[in-house]
Amino acid sequence: MATVLYITAHPHDHQTSFSLAVGKAFVDAYKEANPGDEVVHVDLFDTEIPQIDGDVFSAWGKLASGTTFDQLSDAEKAKVGRLGQIVDQYAAADKYVFASPMWNFSFPPVLKAYIDAVCVAGKTFKYTEQGPVGLLQGKKAVHVQASGGVYSQGPAAAFENGFSYLSKVLQFHGITDIQPIFVEGMAAQPDKAQEIKEKAIERAKELAATF
């Protein structure tokens, strides 16, 4: 049985969000094709993700110098403990489905906070004499990204920093099988928004069958 993390970064639901509508279609099709697998929804807008702040840096420094976890302050324990839970859940999964909109050429800040939480040496990558090596090799991911304009190709592709950044992070973790599903152009062509959405949903269903 495989564990799939469905990681969403949108404050709305699938009825109003293009990315979540397509993401839900993917997950529903995946569940139908793989009834024995577990799909865990991680709603980043409803998840406690500590920022990497002064308390976290202080705790890391103390732990590195030999201080035990019990000797940390209450704030340090809470934040570092929660970050540990997040990365452990992420590292234990077998597959990942991300769904997010493009905001200002990237993704919502909650997704960046999540990425910061799961980029941990010894958990998702390690340092070697030859350089960093990802520890999540053999796993796979899909990223559903919605945008009002078209950014996956053409002149505007230079401004696309959502999927391109996320895919670099995943590759750093050792994940090389990364498939994008772009839902784009709805604002540029509002009369075709529904058609664009339906085509992306069909693409999601097809990809889910072999994911």
Side-chain angles (χ1 to χ4, degrees):
M1 181 183 77
T3 298
V4 182
L5 289 189
Y6 176 42
I7 303 159
T8 61
H10 202 298
H12 293 161
D13 60 25
H14 68 277
Q15 294 180 326
T16 53
S17 162
F18 285 96
S19 58
L20 296 190
V22 177
K24 183 179 184 301
F26 181 97
V27 168
D28 288 347
Y30 180 87
K31 288 179 179 178
E32 184 176 351
N34 303 274
D37 289 0
E38 179 184 16
V39 178
V40 179
H41 185 192
V42 180
D43 181 350
L44 297 183
F45 273 90
D46 191 34
T47 299
E48 178 192 356
I49 309 175
Q51 298 290 314
I52 308 299
D53 61 8
D55 288 330
V56 173
F57 276 119
S58 174
W60 286 344
K62 290 177 182 178
L63 293 171
S65 64
T67 300
T68 65
F69 184 82
D70 291 341
Q71 294 174 308
L72 300 177
S73 71
D74 290 343
E76 291 169 344
K77 289 178 185 177
K79 294 177 182 180
V80 171
R82 177 61 186 141
L83 288 171
Q85 292 173 347
I86 293 170
V87 69
D88 286 346
Q89 179 192 51
Y90 175 80
D94 303 293
K95 304 174 185 179
Y96 310 89
V97 180
F98 293 86
S100 62
M102 177 185 284
W103 284 6
N104 300 316
F105 309 120
S106 184
F107 37 63
V110 289
L111 181 50
K112 178 56 168 63
Y114 183 79
I115 289 171
D116 288 343
V118 300
C119 287
V120 180
K123 296 283 188 176
T124 53
F125 71 96
K126 65 179 179 180
Y127 292 111
T128 72
E129 293 182 355
Q130 290 73 41
V133 175
L135 298 177
L136 306 185
Q137 298 176 22
K139 302 186 179 188
K140 56 175 64 176
V142 165
H143 182 203
V144 179
Q145 178 174 277
S147 58
V150 176
Y151 293 91
S152 66
Q153 58 186 332
F159 296 95
E160 197 284 306
N161 298 296
F163 171 73
S164 59
Y165 176 79
L166 179 60
S167 63
K168 289 182 177 68
V169 171
L170 295 175
Q171 290 174 49
F172 185 73
H173 294 166
I175 303 170
T176 57
D177 187 346
I178 310 163
Q179 298 289 334
I181 301 177
F182 294 108
V183 195
E184 53 186 1
M186 292 79 68
Q189 296 179 298
D191 58 319
K192 295 184 178 180
Q194 186 61 31
E195 178 184 346
I196 293 170
K197 176 182 176 180
E198 290 174 355
K199 286 184 177 179
I201 286 175
E202 288 305 310
R203 164 65 176 154
K205 290 179 178 179
E206 291 173 1
L207 188 56
T210 58
F211 183 60

